[in-house]
Amino acid sequence: MALSPAPVPEQSEQVPDAVLDVLREVSTATLTTQLMARGLRNTFLGGPRPLRPGGPRMVGPAFTLRYIPAREDIDVLAVFQDYDHPQRLAVESVPRGAVLVIDSRGQTRAASLGEILATRLFRRGVAGVVTDGSVRDAAGIAAVDMPTFAAGASPTTNLVQHHAVDLQVPIGCGEVAVYPGDIMVGDDDGVVCLPRSLAAEVAEAAAEQERLEEFVLSRVDGGAPLRGTYPPDESTRADYQRWVAGRSGPARTGAGR
């Protein structure tokens, strides 16, 4: 019996720049809370960490690259003489503002990519790189002004452990399903995959959550007990509404707890 392919989420519409701007200001912690409120519990990629903590945040649609295990008779150094090798093709194909997300199956013995390829991605205007594997030339990549998230470092070329096979297909990265066009958000805590169809809704709710949590944090920092403050009761919420009405300028972000 022939099996029908699994449905792929519709990704035809671009996420507005205004929504991406909001996502650049809210924390991954807040996003996981908002996604959980909508029934999505497995959105945080396990393994990838920022190569440069405190560096620029990452936001952009996913462009995917899938690796399978390498095989000695196929994955030899000579394959890199082909400029259309899938790994190199991926580097030259990621759109400006997108995030290259690499399925390395959580294997870190060999690198997913190195400094030269990362530098090319940076010069092409790519928004970031995420792999659940490792990278080589880690210090050099960390110095490139492009957010890179990896599960480790290894000097060994990818061919020892990885065979690049597919671009722009659904992948698993850090045990999270990532579809092409999903919105990837990264900060010092790690990377969250946000389904594209929920981006606008979640961004708005996350911004409001962080405004409220900024207020709650100021109360707790001032000595208020958790009861009635966190979560806020009706009295605290009324105080919050007056605080919002009387303040000006953007809220301090990243306060999600």
Side-chain angles (χ1 to χ4, degrees):
M1 181 179 65
L3 298 177
S4 300
V8 176
E10 177 60 46
Q11 306 288 8
S12 58
E13 295 185 4
Q14 289 192 344
V15 175
D17 289 343
V19 172
L20 298 179
D21 287 342
V22 173
L23 292 173
R24 290 186 180 93
E25 298 298 326
V26 296
S27 70
T28 55
T30 298
L31 291 175
T32 60
T33 300
Q34 288 299 326
L35 288 165
M36 184 174 178
R38 290 159 176 80
L40 281 77
R41 295 172 176 265
N42 186 37
T43 58
F44 178 75
L45 278 60
R49 302 289 300 164
L51 287 189
R52 191 173 79 189
R57 290 170 54 89
M58 180 190 73
V59 175
F63 183 99
T64 63
L65 168 62
R66 184 171 74 96
Y67 284 139
I68 64 172
R71 205 173 77 181
E72 287 80 359
D73 61 327
I74 296 173
D75 295 291
V76 296
L77 286 173
V79 301
F80 284 149
Q81 298 301 315
D82 179 6
Y83 290 113
D84 290 326
H85 181 276
Q87 184 207 46
R88 308 303 168 87
L89 186 61
V91 170
E92 292 291 343
S93 301
V94 185
R96 184 177 185 86
V99 174
L100 177 60
V101 186
I102 305 173
D103 175 3
S104 295
R105 312 173 318 285
Q107 301 299 309
T108 59
R109 181 164 50 89
S112 300
L113 80 170
E115 183 181 4
I116 291 176
L117 298 185
T119 300
R120 175 60 179 159
L121 290 165
F122 167 65
R123 292 301 178 190
R124 294 190 61 250
V126 171
V129 175
V130 180
T131 175
D132 59 356
S134 60
V135 296
R136 65 196 309 199
D137 316 312
I141 295 177
V144 175
D145 195 23
M146 176 185 67
T148 299
F149 295 78
S154 171
T156 305
T157 179
N158 67 312
L159 296 173
V160 170
Q161 195 173 27
H162 306 300
H163 177 84
V165 288
D166 287 318
L167 309 182
Q168 286 296 77
V169 296
I171 62 171
C173 188
E175 294 298 314
V176 171
V178 178
Y179 289 82
D182 281 345
I183 304 302
M184 311 303 295
V185 182
D187 62 14
D188 279 355
D189 282 352
V191 180
V192 168
C193 177
L194 174 59
R196 189 172 190 148
S197 62
L198 294 176
E201 173 187 337
V202 168
E204 181 180 5
E208 171 58 23
Q209 178 185 330
E210 292 207 341
R211 280 190 292 270
L212 175 59
E213 289 187 347
E214 179 184 354
F215 175 76
V216 167
L217 181 60
S218 69
R219 285 289 182 93
V220 172
D221 193 37
L226 294 181
R227 185 177 295 275
T229 307
Y230 186 60
D233 59 15
E234 290 186 8
S235 176
T236 300
R237 284 191 174 276
D239 289 343
Y240 165 67
Q241 294 299 333
R242 287 189 287 270
W243 176 80
V244 169
R247 73 196 297 265
S248 61
R252 179 182 63 81
T253 61
R257 296 291 186 267

